[in-house]
Amino acid sequence: AAALEADKAKKLAEAAENAFRKFDVNSDGEVTVEELKAGLEKALKTEISEKRVKELMDVFDKSGDGALQIDEFATVEKFRNQLETLAR
């Protein structure tokens, strides 16, 4: 079971890293509010307000520097779930 969990965690980390690279358009190692907005709109095929994206950034930006680094980046699924929570 432990090996399965480790494999699952590795796959999740790889998925988050791949998504991060897609979102980090200018390849500077961080995802800005603008990059997050554009990436999520493309991935979710819907328009997201600037206010909503900023709220999302506040939730995931643990360092508080206004951008997401690889260790703060989540999967699109986690962002979607958080967006649904914020919409309530």
Side-chain angles (χ1 to χ4, degrees), residues 32-63:
T32 61
V33 170
E34 294 78 17
E35 288 173 323
L36 184 61
K37 183 177 187 327
L40 284 175
E41 287 180 342
K42 192 174 174 183
L44 303 176
K45 295 176 178 53
T46 185
E47 202 170 305
I48 305 165
S49 73
E50 189 84 19
K51 177 181 177 276
R52 222 20 119 215
V53 178
K54 284 193 170 112
E55 288 172 341
L56 204 55
M57 182 67 83
D58 289 343
V59 172
F60 289 94
D61 181 21
K62 303 293 182 226
S63 65

